[in-house]
Amino acid sequence: MTQQFYVSPEQLMKDRADFARKGIARGRSVVVISCADGIALVAENPSPSLHKIGEIYDKIAFAAVGKYNEFESLRQAGVRYADVRGYSYDREDVTARGLASVYAQSLGAVFTAEQKPFEVELAVAEVGHTQSDDHLYRLTFDGSIADENGFVVMGGLAEQVAETVAHGWKADLNLAGALRLAVKALATDKEVDALPGTAVEAAVLDRSPESGRGSRRAFRRLRAEEITQLLAGEA
């Protein structure tokens, strides 16, 4: 009879956490910033189609770092959750807090029960009528959830990027200012001062009532040309 090796629960959890952190550390960073115009979501991502930022519901957006197939499956699950809840009850019942709680339960279950944890970090953002009503939640691979104030930074260089963002963040930043600050922070380890617009993925949850052109949707993805103009201070 083959004798199985014993591994203590503490060591098993530590090994899983180390594995997940190493995977996340290889990913490019993402910055989510609350500003006067809404919530800016900015990622270093040269791919035009494999998005790290996406829309979940009317005023809720999603950003992630890590393994694309894992966080994309979570994004799709979040869209389904929001659609079902909004249809079954009321659209106002779909909140970032509720979605973050569902994500936390899913990530926690995978971390404790499955052989391999998800190598992802998530941010769930909900724009409010005023900046004080904005909600930013950060979720880690083990299901831990944090209610962040002002901004969220995730990814391999999160500490360095967060230091730059914290130094430059002000509540009255407009969209262009928030975008420039995020790109400057994401370029912390680069030889140049900022990333080109073609290497940046960006979107905004617009606070203005006309953001959805008559609809309830606040999410708007920024085109490369618009990103370049905003970075140059032309718009």
Side-chain angles (χ1 to χ4, degrees):
M1 181 177 179
T2 304
Q3 183 177 3
Q4 294 184 346
F5 290 103
Y6 172 75
V7 179
S8 67
E10 294 84 358
Q11 185 62 45
L12 182 61
M13 293 297 106
K14 180 180 182 302
D15 290 344
R16 288 179 177 175
D18 290 343
F19 175 84
R21 288 192 187 98
K22 288 179 181 177
I24 294 168
R26 292 191 289 268
R28 297 184 176 96
S29 297
V30 172
V31 179
V32 181
I33 300 180
S34 175
C35 60
D37 295 330
I39 298 176
L41 304 97
V42 188
E44 181 184 354
N45 183 15
S47 173
S49 57
L50 300 178
H51 298 306
K52 301 169 73 171
I53 297 167
E55 180 182 21
I56 296 292
Y57 210 59
D58 296 343
K59 300 178 181 179
I60 302 174
F62 167 100
V65 295
K67 294 195 70 173
Y68 175 80
N69 65 312
E70 293 178 348
F71 67 67
E72 176 63 12
S73 68
L74 290 168
R75 185 194 66 81
Q76 293 177 11
V79 172
R80 289 194 295 269
Y81 160 82
D83 283 345
V84 170
R85 186 167 183 82
Y87 179 79
S88 301
Y89 300 97
D90 187 87
R91 301 188 76 91
E92 295 298 323
D93 291 327
V94 182
T95 63
R97 184 180 64 178
L99 180 63
S101 297
V102 171
Y103 279 147
Q105 293 173 19
S106 299
L107 289 168
V110 171
F111 182 75
T112 56
E114 301 295 332
Q115 288 188 338
K116 189 192 86 65
F118 277 1
E119 300 169 61
V120 298
E121 282 191 39
L122 311 178
V124 178
E126 180 179 4
V127 67
H129 294 295
T130 64
Q131 197 166 8
S132 61
D133 295 326
D134 289 349
H135 295 290
L136 303 175
Y137 297 98
R138 177 179 179 178
L139 297 105
T140 55
F141 54 86
D142 60 353
S144 298
I145 182 172
D147 188 355
E148 302 286 355
N149 182 34
F151 61 88
V152 176
V153 178
M154 307 178 295
L157 297 172
E159 291 185 5
Q160 298 95 309
V161 175
E163 184 177 349
T164 302
V165 175
H167 183 72
W169 183 79
K170 295 182 294 183
D172 60 352
L173 280 174
N174 60 13
L175 175 60
L179 182 62
R180 285 193 288 268
L181 175 60
V183 172
K184 177 183 176 182
L186 291 173
T188 298
D189 64 328
K190 305 294 187 297
E191 295 181 358
V192 295
D193 293 335
L195 295 166
T198 53
V200 173
E201 177 187 358
V204 59
L205 285 171
D206 204 321
R207 199 184 311 282
S208 59
E210 67 273 11
S211 61
R213 296 173 295 279
S215 74
R216 288 178 285 238
R217 297 173 62 182
F219 182 88
R220 180 168 62 90
R221 192 176 297 280
L222 304 181
R223 302 184 307 274
E225 313 85 72
E226 189 174 0
I227 294 171
T228 301
Q229 290 176 356
L230 289 169
L231 291 177
E234 299 173 8

